[in-house]
């Protein structure tokens, strides 16, 4: 191998590492902002900054006496993290363009940047809507959707651009993985309704103003039902993946991880119901939602992989046999 080839290979490896670090940075940031958002809610700090984009009228930063200092600090900190997330998504975008990646990877990077900006606007709308439950729900759900796509980005960014896609396991199992993702969407949607009917409004002064006026116990049972559906489909997916002779070790590991985090999340949810939804459990439950979403994204993404063109020729017959 010539010196020039060695230098080119090392440069490519550095570029891919940089892209990978940026992608995982975005995934971590998207997950963390759901945690800080939950802390805002349970501490009643949602209107610690009562306008947007300024914290208070005429001031971008907190103002002494405008609201309790701890509430201003928490809400302003959550908004500041949005700026950090914008920086991370710009890093990812620059990294994939400098690496000359395929358009699909670039599109995934754009989804993150545009998504964060849209989320900031939705956050501003929720403030102006005085944290009505539906506004807060519409603020949370896109965040976990971005977590899902960030997980897919982390997987796809490590694949070659000049290859072809190869199914890791049969089409019916990939469809089951899609069903698991849809079930997760139901879990998250009903979860926002439980939160909307719960005691933590996001603003310490509003009480139950703007809350979802349904029986929280009834809503919790619906949410639990979707969780059991999600868990059941995931266990079925895990069994199918292990039964498939072509499933990779990585795919099996992520499937096991998904079952584990779902069970952990279910345990926290049961604990919440039995303890009357104490404040400290809410950030844990919300953050685990992001973890479950990320792992679901990894499981879904590992259903098909991209291999170099020379390997694709060798596996074409296998890929055709796997397409049911």
């Amino acid at each position: 191998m010539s010196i020039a080839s060695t230098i080119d290979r090392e440069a490519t490896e550095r570029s891919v590492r940089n892209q990978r670090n940026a992608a995982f940075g975005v995934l971590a940031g998207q997950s963390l902002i759901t945690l800080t958002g939950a802390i805002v809610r349970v501490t009643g700090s949602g209107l610690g900054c009562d306008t947007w984009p300024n914290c208070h009228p005429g001031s971008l930063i907190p103002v002494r006496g405008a609201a309790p200092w701890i509430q201003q600090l928490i809400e302003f900190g959550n908004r500041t993290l949005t700026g950090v997330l914008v920086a991370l998504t710009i890093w990812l975008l620059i990294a994939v363009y400098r690496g000359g990646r395929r358009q699909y990877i670039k599109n995934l990077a754009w989804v993150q940047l545009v998504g964060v900006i849209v989320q900031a606007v939705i956050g501003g709308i929720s403030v102006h809507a005085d944290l009505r439950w539906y506004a807060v729900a519409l603020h949370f759900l896109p965040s976990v959707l971005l977590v899902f796509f960030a997980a897919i980005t982390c997987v796809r960014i490590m694949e070659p651009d000049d290859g072809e896609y190869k199914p890791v396991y049969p089409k019916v199992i990939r469809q089951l993985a899609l069903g698991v993702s849809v079930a997760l969407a139901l879990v998250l949607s009903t979860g926002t309704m439980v939160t909307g009917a719960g005691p933590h409004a996001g603003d310490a002064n509003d009480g139950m103003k703007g809350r979802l006026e349904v029986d929280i116990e009834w809503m919790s049972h619906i949410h639990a039902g979707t969780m059991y559906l999600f868990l059941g489909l995931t266990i079925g997916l895990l069994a199918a993946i292990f039964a498939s002779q072509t499933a990779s070790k990585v795919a099996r590991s992520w499937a096991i991880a998904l079952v584990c985090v779902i069970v952990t999340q279910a345990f926290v949810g049961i604990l919440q119901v039995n303890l009357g939804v104490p404040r400290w459990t809410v950030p844990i439950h919300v953050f685990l939602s992001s973890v479950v979403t990320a792992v679901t994204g990894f499981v879904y993404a590992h259903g098909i992989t991209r291999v170099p063109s020379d390997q694709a020729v060798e596996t074409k017959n296998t890929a055709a046999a796997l397409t049911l």
Side-chain angles (χ1 to χ4, degrees), residues 228-241:
Y228 294 140
L229 171 65
F230 179 45
L231 177 59
L233 288 175
T234 303
I235 292 174
L237 176 63
L238 175 65
I241 288 176

Side-chain angles (χ1 to χ4, degrees), residues 43-191:
T43 57
S45 303
L47 295 180
C49 289
D50 58 6
T51 188
W52 185 90
N54 287 336
C55 183
H56 298 288
S59 177
L60 183 63
I61 62 176
V63 176
R64 178 177 295 182
W69 71 269
I70 187 63
Q71 292 181 3
Q72 292 196 67
L73 180 64
I74 292 172
E75 170 61 12
F76 186 72
N78 185 55
R79 294 187 181 193
T80 302
L81 183 57
T82 299
V84 174
L85 196 48
V86 168
L88 288 170
T89 57
I90 291 175
W91 173 23
L92 174 62
L93 197 62
I94 292 173
V96 298
Y97 269 88
R98 290 187 63 182
R101 301 307 302 269
R102 65 187 186 276
Q103 189 60 45
Y104 176 68
I105 299 294
K106 294 175 182 177
N107 290 344
L108 286 174
W110 276 112
V111 165
Q112 294 299 320
L113 178 58
V114 174
V116 171
I117 295 172
V118 170
Q119 268 293 71
V121 174
I122 295 175
I125 293 173
S126 68
V127 170
H128 287 294
D130 293 328
L131 305 181
R132 294 293 195 276
W133 78 269
Y134 54 83
V136 176
L138 290 174
H139 190 38
F140 170 74
L141 292 175
S143 289
V144 286
L145 182 62
L146 289 173
V147 168
F148 185 82
F149 280 109
I152 292 176
T153 304
C154 291
V155 175
R156 297 290 176 242
I157 215 162
M158 299 304 296
E159 298 172 343
D161 289 329
D162 60 348
E164 297 180 20
Y165 281 110
K166 167 193 171 185
V168 175
Y169 33 74
K171 183 178 179 181
V172 65
I173 301 181
R174 299 199 305 276
Q175 291 173 336
L176 180 56
L178 179 60
V180 167
S181 301
V182 172
L184 173 60
L186 292 175
V187 173
L188 296 171
S189 298
T190 56

